Amino acid sequence: MNYRHAFHAGNFADVLKHLVLSRVLAHLSLKPAPFRAIDTHAGLGFYDLTADEAGRTAEWIDGWGRLAEPFPPAVEDLLSPYRAAVAAVRARHGPTIYPGSPALIREALRAGDHGVFVELHPDDAATLRARYNGHARTKVLHLDGWTALNALIPPPERRGLVLIDPPYEVLGEIDRLGAHLARAVAKWPTGVFLAWYPIKDRAAVDRMVAVLDAALTRPALRLDLMIDRPDDARLTGSGLIVVNPPWRLAEEAALFLPALAERLARSDYGAFRCAALGPAA
Ligand code: SAM
């Protein structure tokens, strides 16, 4: 396990993932019934952008760093839960902090909601445990995320989301994502699932999407954001599969994806895709 998210926190891929996560959490909070948010590959919870790791890659500068200027009001409205959560995490932990998915989830939890954060790296799991195990609404598990995914669903609340955000260090992990996600949706058909993937090997992404499109019994969205010309040798974009998307998410993505593609483009090329998958496609 070599991947450490501290080197990448706040980069362009985090921006897409965390914005969509914040949108889904905002939609879940519209109804009073409690929900559970399960994060199968949780990382450290939050990161200091002035730390050595973040400084060595400086990836956040071309991610979260590029969101300093406001977008047009319709896009800003959609970003407001994300920006508010970053501000709340900074108020709690310090002005140079960037939240990971556990910190964003924690800020969204209401009385009665629960967050479960799963992390396999022993050091990261220990840090995460120290940060979140003391709270009544959050629990940290030092486990394999794929095993936990199967064991933790459906949750007792029967309402909520699962974020699946593996590091893709192992060859074939993208195919694993398709297979595990299809099985998980069959086990919890009403859960919202968010699965992140890198866009580098485009054939592997298309293969995973085709498997899901054929296997899914629930509607889903594919949200891709390219920040550079496609090049199978480099990371030039990332995407999310969202199963059981909140009903307005496609409409919202039609606003925020073009804005992000323009703002986060490395040079003169930014692109996006919002496509329906599964039975409604
Ligand atoms: N979700 C986090 C966020 O948005 O802030 C970032 C997660 S990072 C991309 C992936 C994490 O998965 C790393 O912290 C890594 O240690 C962890 N990991 C790797 N293999 C795992 C496994 N089999 N089960 C659970 N966690 C794993």
Side-chain angles (χ1 to χ4, degrees), residues 1 3 17-18 40-43 100-101 119-121 144-145 165 167:
M1 295 181 69
Y3 181 92
K17 175 182 35 179
H18 292 159
T40 61
H41 297 74
S101 44
E119 172 57 51
L120 188 60
H121 192 290
D144 170 52
D165 184 20

Side-chain angles (χ1 to χ4, degrees), residues 199-205 226 229-236:
I199 302 180
K200 185 172 170 184
D201 176 353
R202 283 167 298 154
V205 173
M226 301 294 300
R229 288 190 164 67
D231 174 350
D232 287 347
R234 291 184 308 134
L235 183 70
T236 52

Side-chain angles (χ1 to χ4, degrees), residues 137-201:
R137 289 192 288 278
T138 54
K139 187 162 75 177
V140 174
L141 301 174
H142 177 203
L143 274 179
D144 170 52
W146 301 111
T147 308
L149 172 64
N150 186 50
L152 296 173
I153 60 166
E157 295 86 352
R158 303 267 160 174
R159 241 191 124 231
L161 71 83
V162 180
L163 173 65
I164 306 171
D165 184 20
Y168 296 97
E169 284 182 303
V170 183
L171 202 66
E173 194 144 39
I174 198 153
D175 295 311
R176 200 174 183 192
L177 173 77
H180 280 270
L181 182 56
R183 267 204 299 278
V185 175
K187 200 165 174 214
W188 186 21
T190 56
V192 182
F193 292 85
L194 291 90
W196 182 89
Y197 49 88
I199 302 180
K200 185 172 170 184
D201 176 353

Side-chain angles (χ1 to χ4, degrees), residues 16-48:
L16 174 68
K17 175 182 35 179
H18 292 159
L19 168 59
V20 175
L21 173 64
S22 301
R23 295 296 324 144
V24 172
L25 287 164
H27 284 289
L28 282 169
S29 302
L30 290 175
K31 290 191 183 158
F35 67 81
R36 182 166 298 225
I38 300 164
D39 192 343
T40 61
H41 297 74
L44 288 173
F46 55 86
Y47 304 87
D48 188 346

